[in-house]
Amino acid sequence: MGKTLFDKIWDAHVVKTLEDGQSLLYIDLHLVHEVTSPQAFAGLRMAGRSVRQPNATFATMDHNIPTDNPYDVRDQIAKKQIDTLIENCREFGVQLADLDSPHQGIVHVIGPELGLTVPGKTIVCGDSHTSTHGAFGALAFGIGTSEVEHVLATQCLWQTRPKTLRIQLEGSLAPGVTSKDVILALIAKYGVNFGTGHVIEFAGSLIPTLTMEQRMTICNMSIEAGARAGLMAPDDTTIAYVKDRPHAPRGEQWEQAVALWRELKSDDDAVFDRDIVFDVTQLSPQVTWGTNPGMGADVNGTVPDPATAPTPVEQRALAAALEYMGLEPGTKITDIPVQHVFIGSCTNARIEDLRLAASVVRGRKVANGVRALVVPGSKQVKRQAESEGLHEIFLAAGFEWREPGCSMCLGMNPDIIPAGERCASTSNRNFEGRQGRGARTHLVSPAMAAAAALAGRFVDVREFAGVHQGGVAHGAAR
Amino acid sequence: MEPLVKHKGRVALLSRVNVDTDQIIPKQFLKRIERDGFGEFLFFDWRYLSSGEPNPDFELNAERAQGASILLADANFGCGSSREHAVWALSDYGFRVVIAPSFADIFFNNCFKNGVLPVVIPQDVRDELAASYAAEAWDAITVDLENQVLVTDHGLSVPFDVDPHKKHMLLNGLDDIGLTLQFDEEISGYEARRQVYQLTY
Ligand code: SF4
């Protein structure tokens, strides 16, 4: 029997397997941020341990950083966390992209950007959206703080072998429909825990047509399906993206690495524990209406009626979601007004996302009463966008143009949504209170967020001129 | 870590599906750099009204749930963010066992690292337990990890599965890092044969 892509990466990283089935897995790259690491470093210090591979460990600060003036951290506890990270990195010899670094940004944006993320690696971070890096054919997953400490001390993790699930994404996307819509539609169809206990391999005819950034958006949200990780086999697009990045292999090592990466794909006769085929051809832009990422609909759809849910528990959950969201069953998605628009986060704050949003915004104005923010995912994204003049398009339309960070994705910094107000957000979670207590989050693609900012309500971005010529989603992304 | 062999405790019932870690411990409380002191913020947005008063409708504020150390939850408990703070908050509040039909993976792992036992039982058994608890047939459960069974104080016993490795660690209160360091030679051996792409340049 052949091996899956997952099997190949897993098998190549097993240091030791115990009789009880636990495997000690070697970790090639450990990404660190300020929120989930302080207790781990404190544990090391208490036990008199050191960081086993400082060179394989890379830290940044993103969650707590104010994005208007990153240096002006007024929240004293947030400041303490940031200062603690600086101290810890200095003491333990860990590389840190601090606020002065040209590389600072959201951890899942800078890993790929710096060539730290490459195919075949095992990558962990104390952050669930580590799944993002799976787009490169790396086995990447989020861990808790105790595990962060474990990896710092040993460069390994105890793991039970997960199951495998292949999702074949077939067909091509209509203009105006993006990879964000693919993953939102997939979770809306199968639910927020269909991936639990599994590593998902995304395959099928759609993947080769996607850029790396579009692929990352899908893998980023595989955790919202409950999956342990999302994976995509590396191909020419992957290899071209990685080439010449600062921390990627070079020269002879590069040639050797590429030869090995070519082997990283599921064998034709590989067997998966589960298999799903999902046709993307008919997809429309998606908008979530509820309080988990699976509660979503087509932009031309309506808010569902809790009475139609199959079980009493689900009926209650649905009714509670609608109450929190302040929505009536049957409301047309396009009748939902928004007061805030957030274009940012590790899901959709890369250069192609900003180009896409800018292509919708160009020459138009943000609707009255809407506050709209663009928060680039990293300093590098910001520099690139500014060199292309994208910031001018946003500023002229009435958007705020911010410094990199997680920003409104989770409201652990000053960027929060007031209770009862609505936000069209390109982030990945619409949980109760995620963007601020009582805040109402609707997840959308960057194109849909941009369109909502202009209209002051959700609209089908395909109705905007220019979308049909060349296609916003793909034309602008190249 | 404190071992968990047999634990008897009062039960609190939380009949909500897909409870995410943002609800268990909202992010405004993640900024501490210590591991303790999170219990008072557990389920903060549900537990307290905007006025700061306890929310009388929230399950954990019920009279019967006071002093509970076992949480009877529902499907996909602990989904969302990887924050271990969620487990620290549950444990600091006093919970040592969480029972549910299913858990999110990262949360499930984090429990074991902190001496909290997540017990998976079938959905129908969970619903039956929830119904008899609500009907006040019983108040407490004894969880016997050694024999992998939980028994309500009205005598209903429910067997459960647990990963043998995790069980061993929890029964003995063992620290993962200590265990791993016994394999230092194997790790060094592995490091010596890493492929070019596994290194950072
Ligand atoms: S952008 Fe949001 S999801 Fe991504 S790492 Fe930051 S807080 Fe987490």
Side-chain angles (χ1 to χ4, degrees), chain A residues 10 35 77 86 123 296 353 366 402 431 439 474:
Chain A
W10 175 275
V35 179
I77 314 177
I86 297 173
I123 302 177
D353 299 313
V366 169
R402 294 295 189 88
F431 297 150
H474 290 83

Side-chain angles (χ1 to χ4, degrees), chain B residues 4 7 20 32 34 64 71 128 139 153 180 198:
Chain B
L4 189 148
H7 175 81
D20 58 75
R32 298 169 58 83
E34 299 84 19
R64 272 175 91 199
L71 184 67
E128 207 182 305
D139 284 311
D153 61 6
T180 309
Q198 292 182 263

Side-chain angles (χ1 to χ4, degrees), chain A residues 12 145-146 150 247 410 433, chain B residues 27 31 34 84 180 190-191 201:
Chain A
T145 299
S146 295
H150 191 277
H247 293 283
L410 90 167
Chain B
K27 73 240 146 212
K31 290 174 192 152
E34 299 84 19
E84 195 159 324
T180 309
Y190 182 90
E191 282 173 336
Y201 294 86

Side-chain angles (χ1 to χ4, degrees), chain A residues 33 62-63 106-109 125 127-130 132 220 224 342 344-347 349 405-413 427-429 434, chain B residues 81 83:
Chain A
H33 67 75
D62 50 9
H63 285 63
I106 304 174
V107 63
H108 310 307
V109 176
C125 174
D127 192 283
S128 55
H129 292 99
T130 310
T132 312
N220 174 275
E224 309 309 333
F342 170 57
S345 90
C346 60
T347 317
C406 294
S407 182
M408 241 176 220
C409 174
L410 90 167
M412 263 190 86
N413 47 70
S427 57
N428 44 45
R429 284 189 177 139
R434 174 83 179 176
Chain B
S81 154
R83 60 187 68 162

Side-chain angles (χ1 to χ4, degrees), chain A residues 255-282:
Chain A
E255 299 304 328
Q256 287 173 24
V258 171
L260 292 163
W261 291 338
R262 297 279 180 206
E263 307 293 315
L264 285 179
K265 51 176 182 255
S266 292
D267 296 332
D268 291 339
D269 55 346
V271 177
F272 293 81
D273 294 302
R274 280 163 68 202
D275 233 313
I276 287 175
V277 179
F278 189 72
D279 185 356
V280 302
T281 313
Q282 302 299 329

Side-chain angles (χ1 to χ4, degrees), chain B residues 88-129:
Chain B
W88 299 337
L90 284 162
S91 148
D92 193 56
Y93 182 89
F95 286 115
R96 292 228 62 197
V97 178
V98 185
I99 304 169
S102 57
F103 292 91
D105 289 335
I106 303 178
F107 175 85
F108 187 77
N109 273 324
N110 286 343
C111 282
F112 284 100
K113 313 278 178 204
N114 292 281
V116 172
L117 174 65
V119 176
V120 180
I121 59 174
Q123 180 80 50
D124 53 341
V125 178
R126 185 264 164 211
D127 292 343
E128 207 182 305
L129 280 178

